[in-house]
Short mmCIF file of all heavy atoms in Angstrom, two decimals:
data_model
loop_
_atom_site.label_atom_id
_atom_site.label_comp_id
_atom_site.label_asym_id
_atom_site.label_seq_id
_atom_site.Cartn_x
_atom_site.Cartn_y
_atom_site.Cartn_z
N GLN A 33 -3.28 10.60 2.82
CA GLN A 33 -4.73 10.53 2.68
C GLN A 33 -5.29 9.95 3.97
O GLN A 33 -4.62 9.23 4.70
CB GLN A 33 -5.10 9.64 1.50
CG GLN A 33 -4.54 10.14 0.18
CD GLN A 33 -4.77 9.14 -0.93
OE1 GLN A 33 -5.52 8.19 -0.77
NE2 GLN A 33 -4.10 9.37 -2.05
N GLU A 95 3.71 26.69 -19.06
CA GLU A 95 3.06 27.20 -20.27
C GLU A 95 2.67 28.68 -20.13
O GLU A 95 2.63 29.41 -21.12
CB GLU A 95 1.81 26.37 -20.60
CG GLU A 95 2.12 24.98 -21.13
CD GLU A 95 0.87 24.27 -21.61
OE1 GLU A 95 -0.18 24.94 -21.82
OE2 GLU A 95 0.91 23.03 -21.78
N LYS A 263 -20.89 44.81 2.96
CA LYS A 263 -20.94 43.65 2.06
C LYS A 263 -20.74 42.36 2.85
O LYS A 263 -21.38 41.33 2.57
CB LYS A 263 -19.89 43.78 0.97
CG LYS A 263 -20.07 44.98 0.04
CD LYS A 263 -21.38 44.93 -0.71
CE LYS A 263 -21.49 46.07 -1.71
NZ LYS A 263 -22.82 46.09 -2.40
#
Side-chain angles (χ1 to χ4, degrees):
Q33 301 172 12
E95 287 188 16
K263 297 299 185 184

